[in-house]
Each structure stands twice: as C-alpha cells, then as structure tokens.
Amino acid sequence: MSIQKRTYIVLLGVPGAGKGTQAKHLVKKLCLPQISTGDLFRFNLGNDTELGKLAKGYMDKGLLVPNEVTIKMVEDRLSDDDCQNGAIMDGFPRNLVQAKAFDDMVAPYGGVSAVPMLTITDDEAVERISGRYSCSDCGAVYHTKFNRPQKPDTCDNDGLKLTQRADDKPDVVKERLYVYYKETAPLIGYYFAKSLLSEIDGSQSIEEVQIGLISLLS
Ligand code: AMP
C-alpha cells in the first residue's frame, strides 16, 4: 500500500527566536496549519478547561507541561481535517520523548520533512521576549522595538488592547531558557543525525528570515 506523503515542518529555536512569527508566514505560503502547543494551552487556559487549569501551573513557572497530556493534545489536533496535508509545528516537540512520539505519529505519512532552527543569542531572546505584546483575541504578536503596532498598545487587526504574556516576564523567561537548553537542545542532535536540521540566522529581519525559510523549504 502506498503512503500518502504529508509535509511536517518542525520549527526549533529558543523562546523568542521568531518561531511563531515565521510559522504564521509559512501558513500562508505553504497552505498548512500552524500547530502551536503554547497557543493550544493558552486557548484552554482562556476557556478554563481542565487541561488549561493543569497547564497553567507549569506555564506560570516556565516549565514544560507533562509529556502525556501534551502528546495527546497534539495527536488530537493532528487528526483534525485541516491537517490532512501536514502541519507547521511551533513549540512541539520540545524534548526527546515528544520527538519520538511525534516520529511515530507522522511515520505513516513519510515522517518529519524538515527542521529549520532559528538561531539568536540569549541576550537577544531576553530583549525580544520582554518587549513582546500580543492580541489575546486574534493572536497577532507585536514588539515595542521591532514590530510596533500602528497605535500604541492596540492591535492593528481588531483594535483590541495588547497584553504581555505572564510567562514573558523576566524571571520566567530565564527559566524558559534554562528549560530549552536542558530539554529541547538535545533535539538539535536528534534531527541533525536524521539529516533534517538546517540553521537560519534568526537575528536577521523578519523578511530576511522568511526568505531564508522559503528557499530552504522549496
Ligand atoms: P510557547 O508559547 O511555545 O513559548 O509555550 C508557552 C508554554 O507552554 C511553555 O513555557 C510550556 O509551559 C508550555 N508548552 C508549550 N509547548 C509545550 C510542549 N511541547 N511541551 C510541554 N509544554 C509546552
């Protein structure tokens, strides 16, 4: 029986490297959905679901939500109709257990297609995250220095007030970086060994990174 090949792109990079911003661009270019586990948890949190309540305790501290619930949530999301051609993974997998589980999920469709890693320094990550504000309704992300909204504190799309994520506050950001190096950085070697990893200089402008990503993926 022949497999139906799908495109699964895993974006790697420290918090603040630009994964979410670039994923939104790739959605339009590649006609694939963005699966952001952070957004899925925040959606659950906003809707006060059991999953949201559980995730909050970990997110507030900058820690990873347990694998079991995270993997199940991604499995459910990947079974949705809009994922029939693949997906752009933003924030998942985030450790080796998740990476192996993801391999199993996507193996029937040809496996992971590519793993672009956006690289920035830790200082840049902290600077970017601490100036980051988003619209809690449409999810648009802005930055006080790099990507200002037309009207201060206001979303360009819907005019709603922009807010800072609780886990973008400096002490939590430090913990998230620590968790990245401890838990997520081993995925660099994991995907390198599978010849899937490509590095992109994430300190370039948003447009330059977009161009680099598209040329890498086409
Ligand atoms: P993000 O928006 O990707 O920075 O994620 C925000 C928070 O959600 C993280 O700090 C974790 O607490 C949680 N989270 C997101 N993705 C995962 C994941 N793949 N595994 C475990 N926790 C996650």
Side-chain angles (χ1 to χ4, degrees), residues 15 37-38 41-42 45 51-67 69-70 73 91 94-95 98 165-184:
T37 37
F41 285 131
R42 280 184 287 277
L45 222 135
L51 176 61
K53 283 180 206 152
L54 183 140
K56 185 177 172 9
Y58 297 92
M59 293 171 83
D60 283 353
K61 297 192 189 93
L63 301 174
L64 295 188
V65 179
N67 286 329
V69 274
T70 305
M73 179 178 76
R94 239 171 161 107
N95 61 27
Q98 294 181 7
R165 277 169 46 178
D167 61 347
D168 279 352
K169 306 253 155 71
D171 50 333
V172 187
V173 170
K174 258 188 145 177
E175 183 65 26
R176 286 165 65 200
L177 277 174
Y178 171 71
V179 168
Y180 175 85
Y181 286 114
K182 191 162 159 253
E183 302 266 348
T184 312

Side-chain angles (χ1 to χ4, degrees), residues 96-177:
L96 283 171
V97 172
Q98 294 181 7
K100 286 175 187 156
F102 187 58
D103 277 350
D104 291 343
M105 284 180 228
V106 302
Y109 312 107
V112 174
S113 314
V115 183
M117 178 167 77
L118 307 180
T119 57
I120 57 168
T121 65
D122 294 346
D123 287 347
E124 266 179 299
V126 173
E127 190 191 11
R128 282 183 180 195
I129 294 176
S130 49
R132 189 160 76 172
Y133 286 80
S134 59
C135 173
S136 54
D137 195 55
C138 76
V141 182
Y142 301 88
H143 194 279
T144 46
K145 192 164 158 194
F146 308 115
N147 181 26
R148 294 196 186 107
Q150 282 160 15
K151 238 175 96 187
D153 304 328
T154 310
C155 180
D156 291 349
N157 299 334
D158 47 35
L160 293 176
K161 194 170 162 40
L162 302 175
T163 51
Q164 186 177 40
R165 277 169 46 178
D167 61 347
D168 279 352
K169 306 253 155 71
D171 50 333
V172 187
V173 170
K174 258 188 145 177
E175 183 65 26
R176 286 165 65 200
L177 277 174

